[in-house]
Amino acid sequence: MRGSPFLLGVLRDSSQRGLGTDDQSSEESGRTTFTLLKAEQIVIMDDINAYSLFSRFLYVAPEEDRLEKFYERLGSEKLSTLFTEVCHPFDVENAESNTSKELRNLIIERFALFLHERNAYARVSPEWLLEADNFAVRLCGKLWYAPHSSSRSHASYTPNYLGWGES
């Protein structure tokens, strides 16, 4: 079963949106393709941002918790493991500037309150943040954000006519 194309893969092409009737929702007006594929040709959508960028090329598992677990056990990977995000700041201000120092102090001051309001567990303590080498704030004029394919995967993934496949 692991080597046979028997799992349902869903491909949503949002570039076709707007072609439907007025009474259809924006999701329904895009082209949706259902195909039987092998587990390694299907990804589990767990990162909506990456999915919105690459939905035209990705066959995803149906969005049902039990099915996603089933697909994962058969070899489908989570989308978040296939891509990493890279941020490139431009016009970076020195961490020693007054504005950067003020913003850093404000973040440290409100860190405990932020965690308390959300009943969250922190991996670091506010005291750890106080050390200059552990936490710095730098202001920048522009921020360029780019998701890209992760090299962690054993296969490289490139778009092809069936969605994502090994190249």
Side-chain angles (χ1 to χ4, degrees):
M1 257 178 30
R2 285 182 189 256
S4 302
F6 75 100
L7 294 172
L8 182 67
V10 181
L11 176 70
R12 291 186 183 93
D13 188 354
S14 60
S15 67
Q16 300 293 320
R17 288 195 178 161
L19 300 177
T21 61
D22 290 338
D23 61 339
Q24 289 178 316
S25 72
S26 61
E27 273 191 20
E28 293 170 352
S29 62
R31 187 172 149 230
T32 302
T33 306
F34 300 95
T35 306
L36 295 179
L37 299 165
K38 297 177 184 177
E40 60 269 6
Q41 295 174 308
I42 300 171
V43 296
I44 299 165
M45 185 188 50
D46 65 336
D47 182 347
I48 192 69
N49 293 324
Y51 181 69
S52 67
L53 293 171
F54 301 106
S55 62
R56 292 181 9 195
F57 308 106
L58 293 173
Y59 277 97
V60 295
E63 294 180 55
E64 170 64 42
D65 289 341
R66 289 182 181 176
L67 287 176
E68 288 175 351
K69 289 177 186 174
F70 177 66
Y71 278 55
E72 188 174 15
R73 289 182 70 190
L74 292 174
S76 293
E77 293 186 72
K78 291 184 177 184
L79 183 56
S80 62
T81 65
L82 300 177
F83 293 94
T84 57
E85 300 167 349
V86 178
C87 292
H88 299 282
F90 295 97
D91 302 327
V92 178
E93 190 175 302
N94 189 337
E96 297 301 316
S97 73
N98 286 337
T99 309
S100 295
K101 286 179 181 179
E102 288 172 12
L103 185 57
R104 181 181 184 276
N105 291 336
L106 190 61
I107 291 170
I108 291 171
E109 177 184 314
R110 296 184 180 176
F111 182 69
L113 181 61
F114 172 80
L115 292 176
H116 177 72
E117 285 178 354
R118 286 160 183 73
N119 294 325
Y121 168 76
R123 293 183 185 169
V124 298
S125 67
E127 293 78 28
W128 183 85
L129 290 177
L130 287 172
E131 295 179 34
D133 292 340
N134 293 337
F135 178 64
V137 173
R138 293 188 181 108
L139 303 178
C140 64
K142 278 189 205 175
L143 187 62
W144 180 68
Y145 167 79
H148 63 85
S149 179
S150 173
S151 60
R152 190 192 71 71
S153 178
H154 65 280
S156 62
Y157 289 85
T158 55
N160 63 26
Y161 69 94
L162 285 178
W164 285 89
E166 293 183 20
S167 61

